[in-house]
Amino acid sequence: MYGHDGVYSMLMTTLQMSFTEYYSFVMPAERFGSFKMLESSKPPPSKKSRKERTRRKSSGLTTPTVVMEEEIWKDFPEDLFEAVIARLPIVAFFRFRSVCQKWNSLLSSESFSEQCAQVQQDNPWFYTITHENVSAGAIYNPSLKKWHHPTIPALPTETILFPVASAGGLVCFHDIGHRNFYVCNPLTQSLKELPARSVKVWSRIAVGMTMNESSTGGGYKILWVGCDGEYEVYDSHSNSWNHPGNMPSNIRLPLCLNFRSQAVNVNGTIYFMRSDPEGVVSYDLFTGVWKQYLIPAPLHLSDHTLAECGGRIMLVGLLTKNAATCVCIWELQKMTLLWKEVDRMPNIWCLEFYGKHIRMTCLGNKGLLMLSLRSRQMNRLVTYNVVSREWLKVPGCMVPRGKKRQGIACGTAFHPCLTATA
């Protein structure tokens, strides 16, 4: 690898690149795996005339260069390396891994995990599957407003996998044939195929995931629920599925699950929507208690999905009346068990939907939502921050060297975590 001086030199180089927004990276496949993140391709910068370069310099438009004095940084205390690296942008870490074997081993270091745990999490990222390429994922980083296109060869390519849940930096995938589950860290390529289930279900299912925060050694649990009330719980500690019992008789079956039955997790309790009758069903993964809340849906509601923010249960959906369509946000009132509208998309944006048959997919459930709004004439992606009530347009998702903006078929929000292991 590199000598002692080379390590300090690489530290300074990478810090400089972080300060100047080094966000496109490739981790050497022959040394530390085959994970890649490739930015959408851009045309090469055109050569500027001498007159234009002189004008930019005189107007102060040039990018400032960050100078880091080697005499100062070479004495940087080695025991602070982990604290610094844990606070750098996620993408910069993969360049650090190529410095030396010691830094590459940080992923499995308990002390580095503790440092990462002290860093406040940014907005969640989104792992998505596009309509045009269902065999590969696309990751959106809202903090940088950039799309990444991960290459994760460990995932099986002979079948179509959908991201159905996430927790603790891990994403749970389910294959289109309802046969297998996989858990993966999209950043580090940590992958695990879960054991076969004892109950075979071919109908639509709802899937939820939570971390075992209260148990020693962490781990996670996954719940799947079928329309007829079948369900199982996977525990990563025992690496097995178990069937805790039958669903209580007060919960009416069938559940009539569909793609709008995306589950959300609130402190270990999984919530998902049901229809006929309309309402919400919950299951506490730690106590094993089922509950049902029969809640009428808002009038004129079409595509809709549950979301969560700070323990609050939210509903995101389309209100369609005559030729007008609007995206609305509701919050479940704990006292009345009714939906109360708390926000809606700006009217000037909704005018674009007038007279169009709009389909909506909601990809987030962690306080920041990504909405895919599609019709024959348009394809729009927007994010909504539940706390700040801010709506933002998302740049189009294009594969490297691609020209066509891709529509999002499904996905899940996840908090990127370098130390999460499947």
Side-chain angles (χ1 to χ4, degrees):
M1 293 290 182
Y2 295 87
H4 190 266
D5 292 338
V7 170
Y8 286 112
S9 175
M10 183 60 76
L11 172 62
M12 291 191 292
T13 301
T14 311
L15 285 171
Q16 284 181 305
M17 298 184 77
S18 299
F19 292 139
T20 55
E21 295 188 343
Y22 175 82
Y23 294 124
S24 298
F25 65 95
V26 177
M27 188 175 72
E30 70 277 9
R31 295 169 68 184
F32 300 118
S34 51
F35 178 92
K36 298 179 181 178
M37 268 195 181
L38 303 176
E39 299 296 347
S40 298
S41 60
K42 299 179 182 179
S46 58
K47 186 175 182 180
K48 296 180 174 59
S49 65
R50 180 180 298 177
K51 181 178 180 180
E52 184 178 354
R53 292 197 301 269
T54 304
R55 181 186 63 81
R56 289 179 62 85
K57 289 181 180 179
S58 62
S59 61
L61 296 178
T62 56
T63 303
T65 302
V66 179
V67 178
M68 303 181 69
E69 298 293 339
E70 183 176 355
E71 289 301 315
I72 297 175
W73 284 93
K74 74 176 183 178
D75 295 325
F76 188 80
E78 188 170 348
D79 58 350
L80 293 181
F81 279 162
E82 291 186 2
V84 172
I85 296 174
R87 286 158 177 80
L88 286 175
I90 292 288
V91 293
F93 177 79
F94 291 93
R95 181 172 176 84
F96 272 81
R97 294 184 67 186
S98 64
V99 173
C100 61
Q101 193 66 42
K102 180 178 179 180
W103 285 14
N104 180 55
S105 64
L106 286 180
L107 284 179
S108 57
S109 166
E110 183 176 346
S111 58
F112 184 64
S113 297
E114 293 174 355
Q115 290 288 348
C116 290
Q118 296 176 20
V119 180
Q120 185 177 2
Q121 290 182 325
D122 293 329
N123 285 331
W125 292 15
F126 296 91
Y127 190 101
T128 71
I129 299 296
T130 66
H131 286 284
E132 290 77 6
N133 191 6
V134 295
S135 61
I139 295 178
Y140 180 65
N141 180 347
S143 298
L144 304 180
K145 297 181 173 61
K146 287 182 177 289
W147 285 97
H148 305 291
H149 299 274
T151 301
I152 311 178
L155 285 174
T157 57
E158 67 276 4
T159 186
I160 298 174
L161 298 177
F162 295 112
V164 291
S166 69
L170 301 174
V171 175
C172 177
F173 294 87
H174 190 216
D175 68 46
I176 194 171
H178 296 272
R179 291 184 295 271
N180 300 309
F181 280 93
Y182 301 84
V183 174
C184 175
N185 184 334
L187 300 183
T188 64
Q189 201 178 318
S190 171
L191 174 74
K192 182 177 184 178
E193 180 179 354
L194 303 191
R197 292 168 289 158
S198 60
V199 180
K200 301 297 182 181
V201 176
W202 302 100
S203 62
R204 188 80 63 207
I205 64 175
V207 182
M209 184 177 183
T210 189
M211 302 303 291
N212 292 329
E213 297 177 343
S214 59
S215 64
T216 305
Y220 52 89
K221 286 185 172 68
I222 296 173
L223 165 76
W224 70 261
V225 184
C227 293
D228 293 331
E230 310 96 335
Y231 71 98
E232 282 185 307
V233 176
Y234 172 82
D235 193 324
S236 63
H237 283 307
S238 61
N239 190 32
S240 63
W241 295 94
N242 67 85
H243 188 278
N246 297 322
M247 194 171 287
S249 58
N250 64 304
I251 297 181
R252 294 178 56 179
L253 300 176
L255 294 174
C256 299
L257 305 174
N258 51 43
F259 282 116
R260 296 187 294 272
S261 303
Q262 173 178 290
V264 298
N265 167 36
V266 181
N267 299 323
T269 298
I270 306 299
Y271 296 82
F272 58 92
M273 296 197 73
R274 63 162 303 156
S275 56
D276 192 26
E278 297 170 332
V280 176
V281 177
S282 71
Y283 179 73
D284 190 318
L285 279 164
F286 299 107
T287 64
V289 175
W290 284 96
K291 292 183 180 179
Q292 177 178 251
Y293 310 90
L294 299 182
I295 308 168
L299 295 176
H300 311 295
L301 179 68
S302 55
D303 291 2
H304 56 277
T305 308
L306 280 187
E308 180 269 335
C309 180
R312 296 179 294 159
I313 303 296
M314 317 295 290
L315 177 65
V316 185
L318 295 177
L319 280 187
T320 303
K321 188 175 182 180
N322 298 326
T325 299
C326 182
V327 179
C328 292
I329 313 291
W330 294 266
E331 180 180 344
L332 181 61
Q333 304 300 294
K334 294 182 179 179
M335 296 297 293
T336 61
L337 288 182
L338 295 174
W339 296 111
K340 176 183 177 182
E341 183 178 330
V342 293
D343 202 4
R344 61 174 55 193
M345 181 179 283
N347 288 332
I348 192 170
W349 289 15
C350 296
L351 288 175
E352 188 179 14
F353 308 150
Y354 189 84
K356 299 181 176 70
H357 179 65
I358 304 296
R359 304 296 298 178
M360 185 199 77
T361 303
C362 179
L363 306 183
N365 55 20
K366 301 293 182 182
L368 184 71
L369 314 175
M370 180 191 286
L371 308 178
S372 174
L373 302 159
R374 290 171 54 87
S375 72
R376 290 184 178 180
Q377 301 88 358
M378 57 161 279
N379 175 19
R380 296 290 178 267
L381 294 174
V382 300
T383 58
Y384 175 71
N385 190 308
V386 179
V387 176
S388 64
R389 300 176 65 178
E390 181 181 26
W391 299 85
L392 293 175
K393 293 184 178 180
V394 174
C397 172
M398 295 185 291
V399 297
R401 296 172 297 280
K403 296 181 179 180
K404 180 181 179 181
R405 293 204 312 172
Q406 300 190 82
I408 302 303
C410 64
T412 183
F414 78 99
H415 280 286
C417 179
L418 295 169
T419 58
T421 303

